[in-house]
Structures are given as C-alpha cells and as structure tokens.
Amino acid sequence: MELVENCPQIAVDIGAVRLRRCFNNTYFVKYFNYSTDDIEDVSISVALDPFLVFQKSDVVVTTKGDNIYEFPIGTLKSGESGQFSIEVEVSCEAALGQTHC
C-alpha cells in the first residue's frame, strides 16, 4: 500500500454481519486515512435506513435529524485507521430479506 501525498483522502466502510428484524443489531464502521498528511476535524456522517432505529454507539454521536448521525473522530494521523460500532433496532415492519441502505 502507498499513501497519497497532498491529498486528504479518507476511506470509510460500514457493514453488519447480519440484520434480524425486531432485534438490536450492530453495524461496524471502519475508517482509514490514505494520505501522507494528518487530517484535522474528521467526522463521519451516517444516514440510516427508515427501518433502522438508532439505539447507541460506542463513540460520541450527534443527531442531525432525518435519521442522520454524525460521529466526530478528531485528527487522523497519516495512515491511521480506526473503527466504532453502531447499534440499531431493525423495525418489525421490515420485510424478510429486505436490503437496508
């Protein structure tokens, strides 16, 4: 892997092992700074599907409305990575096999 110079680039990946309706489920959010520079004031915004009800996170969260949540990360050093989790309840109204974005 090679870090990119003079280009503040952060990759973010979110995923869950599986989602079960009517139960709490966990999403894992992973992030990585691909640049050679430290990036300050990093925050990650997550927009949840209407069938997902936010329960809690293992990091500080700010509710932005419309099922959007912001997670302040702070400064990411060059090549630094991290992760946090988000617990959501999948609505009992969700269809079996439904894809959630």
Side-chain angles (χ1 to χ4, degrees), residues 24-43:
N24 284 354
N25 299 267
T26 304
Y27 273 99
F28 296 95
V29 180
K30 297 178 183 180
Y31 52 89
F32 186 87
N33 179 358
Y34 278 101
S35 70
T36 58
D37 300 322
D38 295 353
I39 304 174
E40 297 179 358
D41 300 321
V42 173
S43 64

Side-chain angles (χ1 to χ4, degrees), residues 60-95:
V60 175
V61 61
T62 302
T63 304
K64 296 300 208 176
D66 293 328
N67 228 15
I68 299 173
Y69 299 88
E70 185 174 82
F71 302 88
I73 304 302
T75 300
L76 270 180
K77 297 188 181 296
S78 173
E80 183 178 9
S81 65
Q83 79 171 25
F84 60 91
S85 63
I86 303 171
E87 189 174 305
V88 298
E89 178 185 358
V90 178
S91 170
C92 297
E93 301 298 317

Side-chain angles (χ1 to χ4, degrees), residues 10-19 25-32 44-49 52 54 56-59 61 67-71 82-88 99-101:
I10 299 171
V12 178
D13 183 51
I14 184 170
V17 176
R18 68 177 175 170
L19 297 176
N25 299 267
T26 304
Y27 273 99
F28 296 95
V29 180
K30 297 178 183 180
Y31 52 89
F32 186 87
I44 297 173
S45 294
V46 176
L48 294 177
D49 183 294
L52 303 177
F54 180 86
K56 65 181 181 178
S57 175
D58 60 358
V59 296
V61 61
N67 228 15
I68 299 173
Y69 299 88
E70 185 174 82
F71 302 88
Q83 79 171 25
F84 60 91
S85 63
I86 303 171
E87 189 174 305
V88 298
T99 300
H100 299 280
C101 299

